[in-house]
Amino acid sequence: MAIARNLENVFRVIPNVIKSQPIRWTSVASSANKDEVKPFEEIPGPKGLYNVPFIGSVFHFNPFGNFTPQTLHKLIDSLHEKYGPVVRVQLGRKCVLLEDIKDIETVFRNDGNYPMKPGLDIFTIVYERNGFKKALNQVHGEEWYALRTPANKKLMKADSAYHYLVPQNAVADDFVNILATQNLTPEEMKDLFFRYTSESIALVTFNTRLGFLDYSADQEASEFLEATKRFFDIIAATLSGKNVSYKWYKSKVYLDMEKAIFAIRKNSQKHALKAREIIEQQKKDGTLNPEEPNLLLSLVSEKGLQDEDVSNLLDSLYMAGTDSTAKNLQVFFYNLAKNPDKQEILRKEILEAVGESGVVDVKALSKMSYLKYCLKESFRLNYPTVVGVSRILTKDIVASGYNIPAGTVVILGNQRASKKCFEDPDKFIPERWMRADDGRKQDNTNSMAVLPFGHGPRNCIGRRFAVQEIYLATSKVLQKLKIEVEPESWNTDFIYTTFVDTEKPIRFKFTKIE
């Protein structure tokens, strides 16, 4: 039983490959001389018991090894340090780890129009067992493209998030008011970050305030928030291998996930139905404006999208803007607290742009270059995910002189590259992202090193909204408050559950600026 549990620690750390197999291309994508290309079988990596299919993974982790699922990043570091920039390893199945920037570029250059990536097992199983249409992160090829394209029209334009600045300012104001007036425990503070990001992204997906920052909110809103939390708790638990029985029968963890997904889908469908009723009425009244910056209405109006497609898209965007954004906001505040000199530079920029109580609008954001540098540096210093993007290759490539065939899962080491490729990697230096007078970055490191939202056609669908949520919260807080951490949290250890997280909740201290 112990071996089985530890084996699944590995299975769930790296998402399983989708059942359908990619088309195998015959060309090899590389500029390397073919005579110099080494075969896949010669890629270095752990041997002996570590290389036994499936069960070999167990021996990297406790009680056999020194690592846990939460310290997978340290295992990956050790593998690269021992074997080099390309490592073949059993992590649930045979995978290839890549850390060299040129190899990361090679993978993205060969993504094609329909990149393939592993999905989340339990999420897919719940959908399949209930006969739901596949969600955006579960589909591939032309099916994925058909679902993603209408969402791109409203979500991926440079100004797509700006339409929601005014109502999201109000959410950020409520967030600041709680920080300024309530003495929260570290656990309550962590919960507040989650409530803020959930409320803010709900404005986009459901076009309404759900009341998550009102602790006396109605039962429906409370149940929806709890379902969202439960969803991510279960994802984290399955990623760490605490339960795998859901694969074969409806275990408790499966039923909990099913209940969470049902609650989330129910909420999405309710708001989609309301939107459709509004559109039908506007058509009758002759007041329908197809150019209105309303994501919900625009998706419902989109030809070719069924109600379930709309709900799935709303779910994907909503979930993308909650837990990950909350954790990155928490880490960002921590880095600003640990670097008060940088915090003061940023505060000065914010006050010059919006004053002590002004609204953060498009014009103000355009003036906040240092805010952007600070956030990108926070992403670099504490990378949002344990690795970068994972891909299922759709064609053969060559990475650091080795042939890697189509169908292989490659795991890009951006978490490692974000440290290895920079000078003073353990220091918070936003200035490294500034541009000199000639337009070049102060640090000329390849931009492929830090890709918190992925890259290419399959990048994070909600990235503009996630970043805007963080910009607004930071701007509003620094207008009014000083961010500090108590001594007990000064040397916080970071781990990885679903996303970057702290081993213990951070004890922040927010004080009003006189």
Side-chain angles (χ1 to χ4, degrees), residues 10-11 13-14 40-61 67 72 75-80 83-98 387 404 408-411:
V10 182
F11 285 164
V13 166
I14 303 297
F40 178 74
E41 291 71 22
E42 291 186 13
I43 295 176
K47 305 297 182 184
L49 291 175
Y50 295 105
N51 206 33
V52 176
F54 300 111
I55 65 170
S57 310
V58 171
F59 300 102
H60 293 294
F61 295 91
F67 304 99
L72 176 64
L75 168 60
I76 291 174
D77 282 344
S78 71
L79 291 171
H80 279 301
Y83 297 106
V86 183
V87 182
R88 191 160 62 119
V89 62
Q90 284 283 347
L91 288 175
R93 61 158 289 164
K94 200 163 291 288
C95 305
V96 173
L97 310 178
L98 303 176
V387 291
I404 305 179
T408 303
V409 173
V410 293
I411 301 169

Side-chain angles (χ1 to χ4, degrees), residues 264-416:
I264 294 167
R265 284 173 59 86
K266 178 183 176 181
N267 190 82
S268 298
Q269 290 167 351
K270 180 187 75 173
H271 289 287
L273 179 61
K274 283 184 179 179
R276 194 170 290 284
E277 292 172 351
I278 291 172
I279 285 176
E280 293 303 321
Q281 187 61 49
Q282 288 178 342
K283 284 181 179 178
K284 291 180 182 179
D285 299 340
T287 59
L288 179 64
N289 176 15
E291 300 302 318
E292 180 182 352
N294 183 318
L295 174 67
L296 184 54
L297 291 180
S298 66
L299 289 178
V300 170
S301 303
E302 188 74 31
K303 293 180 180 179
L305 285 182
Q306 299 177 6
D307 285 350
E308 192 167 6
D309 293 324
V310 173
S311 295
N312 283 339
L313 284 169
L314 294 175
D315 290 347
S316 297
L317 179 59
Y318 171 74
M319 302 307 283
T322 56
D323 191 54
S324 61
T325 311
K327 288 176 178 174
N328 282 305
L329 178 60
Q330 178 184 222
V331 171
F332 188 31
F333 278 16
Y334 176 78
N335 284 325
L336 291 175
K338 290 266 290 186
N339 296 272
D341 55 331
K342 309 300 183 184
Q343 183 182 156
E344 287 306 311
I345 294 172
L346 178 55
R347 177 178 288 105
K348 181 180 179 181
E349 177 183 80
I350 291 167
L351 292 177
E352 288 177 351
V354 295
E356 295 180 358
S357 58
V359 173
V360 179
D361 56 18
V362 177
K363 184 178 179 181
L365 283 176
S366 69
K367 297 178 180 179
M368 297 184 191
S369 299
Y370 198 70
L371 174 59
K372 299 176 178 65
Y373 303 147
C374 285
L375 180 56
K376 189 159 187 177
E377 179 66 354
S378 186
F379 286 147
R380 185 202 65 78
L381 187 59
N382 302 103
Y383 206 75
T385 54
V386 68
V387 291
V389 171
S390 296
R391 286 287 188 262
I392 305 168
L393 296 180
T394 57
K395 63 175 74 174
D396 294 6
I397 67 167
V398 172
S400 291
Y402 292 96
N403 180 63
I404 305 179
T408 303
V409 173
V410 293
I411 301 169
L412 308 184
N414 292 89
Q415 199 270 358
R416 181 171 166 81

